[in-house]
Amino acid sequence: MFQGKRQESADKNRELPVPIKELDAVVLSHAHIDHSGRLPYLIAEGYSKTIWATSATRDLSAIMLADSAHIQEKDAEFLAKRHKGFIEPLYGMRHAVRTMDLMVGVPYGRPFDVVPGLKATYIDAGHILGSASVLLDCTEGGKTKRLVFSGDIGRSGLAIVRNPVPPSEADALIMESTYGNRDHESVEGARAQLAQIVRETAAKGGRVLIPAFAVGRTQEMIYVLHSLAREGAIPSIPIYVDSPLAIDATTVFEMHPEAFDRSEEMVVKTKDLFRFDLLHYTRDVEESKALSRAHGPMVIIAASGMMENGRILHHLAQGASDPRNTILVVGFQAEHTLGRRVVEKRPTLQIFGDDVALHARVEVIDGYSAHADRTELISWLGRVKEQSPNLGPVWLVHGEAPVQDEFRTTLAALGYSADCPEPHARYEF
Ligand SMILES: [Zn+2]
Ligand SMILES: [Zn+2]
């Protein structure tokens, strides 16, 4: 699903790469909305065959697609009311619900027949809960070749999820390249930085406001704060998760311990990863409002991650002008979002149509990306190559054009035959 400028992405999202009639199945890599967000549109256009996913991806999709349908319906309603033109929602709630009827969950490592002659197997991509790379074994004329789709590739050492498993015996590879031109801070560095920010803000009697994407990043923050609290690395101040969607997503996490990384000490030793005495979930609007009136240091985690909507806006409207507070940015902030203006430390922010002076401390932790960086992508590919004596072409996808191009050059210098395919191009391998 394309996101961004309203009309532009609405047009792009209505354009399908192949007619519905020619589709035999869908194999989904993970629940992030850029990958799953248009599935209900397929259903609205008449698709009625199977959608494959891992079990955790299926359950995360249930809440994310319902949320996406809800946002689109609300958006259309809002525009109609303001007479700002009408954009028909891409799909409605009934299509999101019907998508779940068609979605079949399969475990990692268990091959399944997509269509005759095409067998697929999910392996862990280590990116978000349930994320997968897909091995596609294609048999034609008695010969089998393996096409691998990397999906979004995660990082070693991320909380909760396992490390990415590089596929073996690939003949050709479709690979993501989002951060093909730069490296992130380390995961361990991010953890230490978080602890220090919480300690310093609490000492001043302020609040740490963490805008976080409801699915994935919020659970990661809960997990890290839990482990810091267990070590006594942060003071005993209340931590609020103030987002109904994040609360639902946390429940889905709790339903899928099979996807957790059993090599992490806390996963093995703690029964309730997402429940501890400092942590409070606020679902009710009234409870959320009460937080504004509360006193003393605290941590508040709320959506949306880019500060464009959701309850974080109320906390920013009330807390951005207080120099004791810290706004802690733990995710990517796109251009033209309130989040980007916070990161740029603009002197005033526009929230709900009002000017709010920005006096709070602003901190950015870059180490929480769920995507492999350049070094990690190269090392993942190196391990694929080691286990794939016949590795042919590597097709790069999922990155901005200049980044993809730079990464292609980097890979070519390392001896790979890498290419950045144009949409609708056809290849043989
Ligand atoms: Zn993703
Ligand atoms: Zn993605």
Side-chain angles (χ1 to χ4, degrees):
M1 181 182 231
F2 297 99
Q3 289 164 301
K5 292 213 174 100
R6 203 181 254 138
Q7 189 60 56
E8 203 181 302
S9 43
D11 293 344
K12 273 197 199 162
N13 281 330
R14 283 193 158 75
E15 209 178 283
L16 292 174
V18 277
I20 297 274
K21 281 196 186 112
E22 290 178 20
L23 280 181
D24 294 306
V26 175
V27 181
L28 178 62
S29 64
H30 65 294
H32 273 154
I33 213 74
D34 56 322
H35 298 257
S36 68
R38 277 205 289 173
L39 289 173
Y41 180 61
L42 283 187
I43 277 84
E45 293 292 293
Y47 182 77
S48 61
K49 294 172 185 166
T50 303
I51 299 167
W52 301 94
T54 65
S55 315
T57 294
R58 185 188 185 281
D59 293 345
L60 284 177
S61 299
I63 56 170
M64 292 180 73
L65 295 179
D67 185 59
S68 169
H70 179 74
I71 290 171
Q72 291 183 55
E73 285 175 344
K74 284 273 163 228
D75 220 29
E77 226 172 77
F78 172 83
L79 288 173
K81 234 189 246 167
R82 297 281 166 103
H83 302 290
K84 281 191 177 172
F86 181 72
I87 290 189
E88 204 190 333
L90 196 56
Y91 48 81
M93 193 59 81
R94 68 181 194 285
H95 304 117
V97 171
R98 171 84 178 125
T99 306
M100 299 321 297
D101 260 346
L102 302 179
M103 205 179 276
V104 174
V106 287
Y108 290 108
R110 185 180 298 178
F112 54 95
D113 290 308
V114 181
V115 288
L118 188 63
K119 214 180 252 308
T121 310
Y122 283 127
I123 58 172
D124 208 318
H127 168 64
I128 59 158
L129 194 80
S131 68
S133 300
V134 189
L135 315 179
L136 288 164
D137 292 320
C138 321
T139 306
E140 206 176 53
K143 257 179 95 178
T144 299
K145 285 197 173 185
R146 175 170 284 182
L147 172 65
V148 171
F149 173 53
S150 72
D152 286 2
I153 304 168
R155 312 171 64 192
S156 295
L158 284 184
I160 313 164
V161 295
R162 286 184 288 259
N163 294 346
V165 178
S168 56
E169 283 161 63
D171 293 293
L173 177 59
I174 302 171
M175 180 182 180
E176 76 123 317
S177 55
T178 318
Y179 288 102
N181 67 341
R182 62 190 172 103
D183 284 343
H184 305 309
E185 284 169 33
S186 74
V187 178
E188 303 76 48
R191 188 173 184 277
Q193 219 180 327
L194 173 66
Q196 190 183 349
I197 290 164
V198 173
R199 282 197 305 268
E200 288 171 359
T201 309
K204 285 194 291 181
R207 300 174 169 208
V208 183
L209 304 176
I210 310 181
F213 190 48
V215 182
R217 188 57 38 86
T218 292
Q219 291 71 32
E220 194 180 355
M221 298 314 294
I222 296 171
Y223 179 98
V224 178
L225 288 165
H226 188 182
S227 85
L228 290 171
R230 276 165 62 97
E231 281 172 24
I234 53 170
S236 295
I237 59 171
I239 299 165
Y240 295 96
V241 176
D242 189 22
S243 153
L245 182 65
I247 298 170
D248 292 343
T250 305
T251 309
V252 174
F253 269 65
E254 290 177 323
M255 283 162 58
H256 289 284
E258 82 284 355
F260 294 171
D261 185 352
R262 306 273 313 162
S263 73
E264 291 170 31
E265 195 187 318
M266 200 164 81
V267 168
V268 184
K269 285 197 174 160
T270 317
K271 192 175 141 280
D272 292 318
L273 283 180
F274 305 100
R275 289 164 208 275
F276 55 105
D277 53 358
L278 300 177
L279 186 69
H280 309 276
Y281 290 98
T282 53
R283 189 182 282 278
D284 277 13
V285 177
E286 286 312 312
E287 278 178 287
S288 170
K289 283 183 182 162
L291 286 182
S292 310
R293 299 188 294 270
H295 295 284
M298 62 181 78
V299 177
I300 299 177
I301 306 169
S304 74
M306 294 194 199
M307 306 175 227
E308 282 293 276
N309 43 53
R311 291 182 181 175
I312 191 66
L313 286 180
H314 295 275
H315 298 297
L316 290 170
Q318 198 232 356
S321 53
D322 188 335
R324 293 173 300 174
N325 296 341
T326 303
I327 304 171
L328 177 56
V329 177
V330 291
F332 175 71
Q333 305 299 319
E335 261 185 286
H336 312 299
T337 60
L338 179 65
R340 179 64 77 93
R341 288 190 278 278
V342 168
V343 170
E344 288 167 355
K345 299 183 186 166
R346 301 273 180 98
T348 34
L349 305 172
Q350 278 268 318
I351 306 175
F352 300 128
D354 293 327
D355 283 344
V356 178
L358 176 59
H359 296 309
R361 172 181 173 194
V362 175
E363 286 289 342
V364 179
I365 302 185
D366 169 60
Y368 282 113
S369 177
H371 278 275
D373 63 18
R374 174 179 43 199
T375 304
E376 290 161 334
L377 286 172
I378 292 170
S379 113
W380 183 88
L381 180 56
R383 290 174 61 197
V384 176
K385 174 90 183 153
E386 259 171 45
Q387 305 176 79
S388 306
N390 302 319
L391 182 64
V394 178
W395 293 298
L396 300 177
V397 293
H398 202 292
E400 288 168 14
V403 179
Q404 263 185 37
D405 208 52
E406 209 183 316
F407 192 51
R408 180 181 55 88
T409 313
T410 307
L411 293 187
L414 293 169
Y416 293 98
S417 104
D419 199 0
C420 307
E422 289 294 319
H424 303 289
R426 280 170 179 270
Y427 293 87
E428 279 185 25
F429 72 100

